[in-house]
Amino acid sequence: MRRLRRLGSWILTAAALLLWMPSAGAEECKKRICRSNYSFDGTYCEAESGFGWRSHYRPASPVCPDGWDISGQSCVKKLCCEKAACRSGETYRDGFCYKPPSGIGGYMSHYEARCEPGWAFNRSRGTCRNPDPDCAPFTPGVVVQAMAFFEITGYAERCARKGGSVTIQGNRFGAVQGPNRVLLGGHGISVLLPVTLWSPTRITVTIPDVPRIVEGRIYYIGIQNDENQWLSGIDKSIAVCQ
């Protein structure tokens, strides 16, 4: 019986470790300057031994690469466009961050994944997207937090024609549109797209023939509720036909 219990514990632990994967699509936005147990003093990486003497080494030069700043013990990317919703060492799964299990067969504690105010939460990938215009422009002034995630997988058309229709393909859109709306954005614009068809897996919209939408440019399309909160990711882009 004891052997069976031990075997069960090992199986649970192995299963947990198999799930231990970083969030897909996240970039590295912060990294330590020194190795573990070493501290950066502005010039050297130093560590104190148990005997009172200190070892040190000089980190690579430059300490942080172009586009990064020194912040305490780390190099921080000046413009981070997408980062993991969970902390380092944790795993993301279906809206929650799971901490490493404690001991053999230990319980994996978890909490709901969230993004800082203004960042968009991509539930399918477990990442937070920066609203900075140099990353992917968002609707100005919107605080973004996905509430009931709609998944956009792509478009039926090769490109979007001004004055024409585009069919959005995906999952979990629901049978009716309700108070939700579809927006086209990017390059500093946000344009409401009239909906002509709404189904659980397909939404057909009209692309307005307006000067703000420029032929040849690439835009994203996303779904919001009536409180300006994103209900979908905006990582599926489409070009406007020339």
Side-chain angles (χ1 to χ4, degrees), residues 113-127:
R114 292 186 180 274
C115 300
E116 59 190 273
W119 287 58
F121 177 45
N122 189 321
R123 187 183 180 89
S124 64
R125 303 200 303 178
T127 59

Side-chain angles (χ1 to χ4, degrees), residues 1-164:
M1 183 63 72
R2 290 182 179 177
R3 290 181 178 179
L4 287 175
R5 289 199 192 102
R6 290 174 184 171
L7 180 60
S9 297
W10 278 107
I11 291 173
L12 288 173
T13 303
L17 292 175
L18 287 174
L19 294 171
W20 226 250
M21 299 178 65
S23 300
E27 60 183 292
E28 186 180 34
C29 299
K30 182 178 181 180
K31 54 187 179 182
R32 281 186 56 85
I33 296 172
C34 302
R35 298 193 297 265
S36 178
N37 300 325
Y38 280 78
S39 299
F40 184 61
D41 67 359
T43 304
Y44 294 98
C45 290
E46 294 190 339
E48 185 171 347
S49 73
F51 300 100
W53 54 271
R54 302 180 69 86
S55 63
H56 69 275
Y57 69 92
R58 186 187 291 271
S61 182
V63 175
C64 298
D66 290 341
W68 296 64
D69 286 330
I70 297 176
S71 178
Q73 297 296 313
S74 303
C75 290
V76 178
K77 201 170 188 178
K78 291 181 180 178
L79 180 61
C80 176
C81 290
E82 191 170 31
K83 60 185 178 182
C86 300
R87 303 185 188 97
S88 176
E90 297 175 347
T91 189
Y92 173 80
R93 188 166 75 252
D94 195 26
F96 291 88
C97 297
Y98 290 82
K99 299 179 180 180
S102 56
I104 301 301
Y107 172 69
M108 295 171 62
S109 62
H110 62 280
Y111 60 91
E112 186 177 356
R114 292 186 180 274
C115 300
E116 59 190 273
W119 287 58
F121 177 45
N122 189 321
R123 187 183 180 89
S124 64
R125 303 200 303 178
T127 59
C128 299
R129 185 74 179 174
N130 192 342
D132 191 289
D134 289 334
C135 293
F138 283 60
T139 305
V142 172
V143 175
V144 184
Q145 179 64 47
M147 295 176 62
F149 195 80
F150 297 163
E151 182 185 16
I152 295 177
T153 58
Y155 307 98
E157 294 77 15
R158 180 182 58 84
C159 61
R161 191 171 301 279
K162 293 174 64 172

Side-chain angles (χ1 to χ4, degrees), residues 202-237:
R202 296 167 73 87
I203 300 173
T204 301
V205 295
T206 300
I207 306 299
D209 189 359
V210 296
R212 288 190 297 160
I213 300 176
V214 180
E215 296 175 346
R217 283 188 175 177
I218 298 175
Y219 297 90
Y220 64 81
I221 294 178
I223 304 169
Q224 286 186 348
N225 63 13
D226 56 352
E227 296 181 352
N228 297 334
Q229 295 171 314
W230 291 106
L231 302 180
S232 75
I234 56 172
D235 55 331
K236 295 294 184 292
S237 301

Side-chain angles (χ1 to χ4, degrees), residues 177-219:
Q177 179 179 356
N180 304 319
R181 58 186 185 174
V182 182
L183 296 170
L184 178 143
H187 302 284
I189 71 169
S190 179
V191 179
L192 183 66
L193 305 181
V195 175
T196 58
L197 181 147
W198 190 289
S199 73
T201 58
R202 296 167 73 87
I203 300 173
T204 301
V205 295
T206 300
I207 306 299
D209 189 359
V210 296
R212 288 190 297 160
I213 300 176
V214 180
E215 296 175 346
R217 283 188 175 177
I218 298 175
Y219 297 90

